Amino acid sequence: MTSMHGQRRFLNSRSVTCFVGFAICFASTLIVPSARGQNWAPNKASLIIRTKEPGAVINPNIYGQFAEHLGRLIYEGLWVGEDSKIPNTRGLRNDVIAALKELHIPVLRWPGGC
C-alpha cells in the first residue's frame, strides 16, 4: 500500500475530525480581549460535526513520486535510450514502467523537486 492511500485513509478518519473538534473547543476556552480592549472575556465558539456527510475529495494528482539523479536511478535505471538492448519504449525501460504502473503512482515528476 502506498503512502498516498495511507494519507487518504488518515484524512478520512474520524480521529482527524475528533482532533480538529478538540482543537477548536480548546481554543474557544482561551481568554481573549473584548472589543474594547480593556475587559477580558471568554471566547465562545460552537462546532457541528456532520458524520453522515461525505468527507472532502482529494485529487490523487496532488500526491506523487519524484525521480532524481541519484546513482543509476535515471540513467541505466529508468532511461536506457532508444538504441539500448534492454527492452524499452522511447528510451524508457519497459520493466520499470510496468513496476511503476503496479504501484498506481498518479504522477512521477522528473527531475524531482517540488
Side-chain angles (χ1 to χ4, degrees):
M1 182 173 292
T2 65
S3 63
M4 178 184 71
H5 297 295
Q7 290 169 346
R8 189 173 295 153
R9 186 173 54 245
F10 173 75
L11 291 173
N12 288 332
S13 71
R14 299 276 186 239
S15 61
V16 171
T17 304
C18 292
F19 175 77
V20 171
F22 173 76
I24 291 172
C25 290
F26 177 77
S28 70
T29 63
L30 297 177
I31 297 176
V32 296
S34 67
R36 294 182 185 155
Q38 296 176 1
N39 299 326
W40 291 81
N43 188 16
K44 296 183 180 182
S46 63
L47 174 68
I48 299 171
I49 300 176
R50 297 184 175 109
T51 59
K52 303 287 184 193
E53 295 183 14
V57 176
I58 299 173
N59 186 328
N61 293 318
I62 291 174
Y63 300 106
Q65 303 294 319
F66 65 91
E68 289 286 352
H69 289 279
L70 300 173
R72 296 182 178 176
L73 176 64
I74 300 299
Y75 299 111
E76 299 179 30
L78 180 60
W79 173 261
V80 291
E82 294 182 33
D83 299 329
S84 175
K85 294 180 181 179
I86 298 173
N88 69 80
T89 303
R90 293 184 299 230
L92 298 172
R93 289 179 56 165
N94 294 338
D95 58 339
V96 174
I97 298 299
L100 290 172
K101 285 181 181 180
E102 287 182 25
L103 294 174
H104 302 286
I105 297 171
V107 176
L108 177 65
R109 296 182 308 273
W110 177 78
C114 299

